Every structure is written in structure tokens, then in C-alpha cells.
Amino acid sequence: MKFGVRGKLVAVSLCILAVCGSVSGIYLEGVLRGWFGEKIEHDLHSYTIAIVASLEELPNLDAGGTVHAYAHRMGKAIQARVTIIDSSGTVLGDSDLLPTDLRLVENHGSRPEIVEALKNGVGKATRFSATVKKELSYVAHRYTFKDFHHGVVRVAMPRVM
């Protein structure tokens, strides 16, 4: 089949549109991925600050039901994973775990966001969670409970794919 000048112009125009559309799509995907990543990190910071501020309302910070129930309530309210960890790395509460599983969780003291938060006040990381088997973005803030107990509140959301 032979194309005339008009047919060749239409074919070339369609090819140019396809290439421009593809390049634009790739560019926009990168821009949106970066924007969503920044938005998630901002939200995680806000959530951890709010949770740290409200910790003083708890009667105590033990590894028992009070802190764990609190982590579950906060996780449900913000639709994110909330973990409360003491300064030695012991997980006191985690919104994604059952109370019976809490004592089986490994020490979190060496997790990068926890180390950074204990040292500098705030820590962040994006990595695979061995506990919940997902890629997550984390933000952690150091807390002081009733002027004597120290630790970290960490909030996590699935990483933007």
C-alpha cells in the first residue's frame, strides 16, 4: 500500500504525538512520585509530632496493654502504622501487631530511623519492614514521658510505588 503526502504527514504527526506523550508521561510520573513522597513524609512528621504531644495523657508507658491499645487507636485514626519504642529499643506498642505478637518483636534499637531520632530528635528512612513484610517510609520523633522515660514514636506508611 502506498501513502500519499497527506498519509505520510498523518503518520509522522502520530509518531511525534506518541513520542511526546510518552516523554511527558515519564516526566509527570517522576514529578508526581516525588510530590507524593514529600507529602507522605510531611504527613508522617505531623502525625509523629501530634502523637508525641498526646503521650502525656497516658497514665504510664509500660510494655502492656495501655501503650499497645494507644498505638492501635492512633494507627486507626491516621491510617498508618504507629510504633512506640522505649530508649532501649523495646517495642511497647505497634498498631499493626496483635498484643500476643508484641513480645516476639525483635529489638528496634538498631533501626536507622530509631538511632537517628534518639540522637538528633528526628529520624527518617525508607526500607523494607521485616515485621510487616512491606516497603515503608518511616519518620520517628524522640519523646520524653513525664520527665523520666525516653523513647521514640515512629509512624510509617507504604512507600509510593
Side-chain angles (χ1 to χ4, degrees), residues 63 84-93 102 105-109 143:
I84 301 172
I85 303 152
D86 71 13
S87 59
S88 70
T90 300
V91 176
L92 303 175
L102 191 60
V105 175
E106 65 188 50
N107 188 288
H108 281 38
Y143 69 79

Side-chain angles (χ1 to χ4, degrees), residues 56-123:
E56 286 290 325
E57 296 176 18
L58 294 177
N60 59 31
L61 282 185
D62 58 2
T66 304
V67 176
H68 192 65
Y70 176 76
H72 268 276
R73 271 196 325 275
M74 292 296 106
K76 187 174 181 180
I78 64 174
Q79 297 181 2
R81 180 180 178 200
V82 174
T83 309
I84 301 172
I85 303 152
D86 71 13
S87 59
S88 70
T90 300
V91 176
L92 303 175
D94 190 305
S95 62
D96 283 11
L97 299 176
L98 297 171
T100 53
D101 295 336
L102 191 60
R103 65 178 177 262
L104 304 175
V105 175
E106 65 188 50
N107 188 288
H108 281 38
S110 63
R111 306 283 164 85
E113 68 279 4
I114 304 303
V115 171
E116 188 179 352
L118 286 170
K119 182 179 177 185
N120 302 320
V122 178

Side-chain angles (χ1 to χ4, degrees), residues 19-66:
V19 168
C20 288
S22 297
V23 169
S24 296
I26 292 168
Y27 172 75
L28 285 175
E29 179 186 11
V31 168
L32 289 174
R33 187 181 305 265
W35 182 83
F36 280 120
E38 289 173 11
K39 170 82 170 109
I40 286 172
E41 189 175 314
H42 177 269
D43 289 349
L44 293 175
H45 274 286
S46 298
Y47 295 150
T48 55
I49 290 168
I51 292 169
V52 166
S54 69
L55 272 178
E56 286 290 325
E57 296 176 18
L58 294 177
N60 59 31
L61 282 185
D62 58 2
T66 304

Side-chain angles (χ1 to χ4, degrees), residues 123-136:
K124 63 181 182 174
T126 299
R127 60 178 177 72
F128 184 79
S129 166
T131 305
V132 297
K133 310 286 188 253
K134 292 180 189 173
E135 186 85 12
L136 299 174

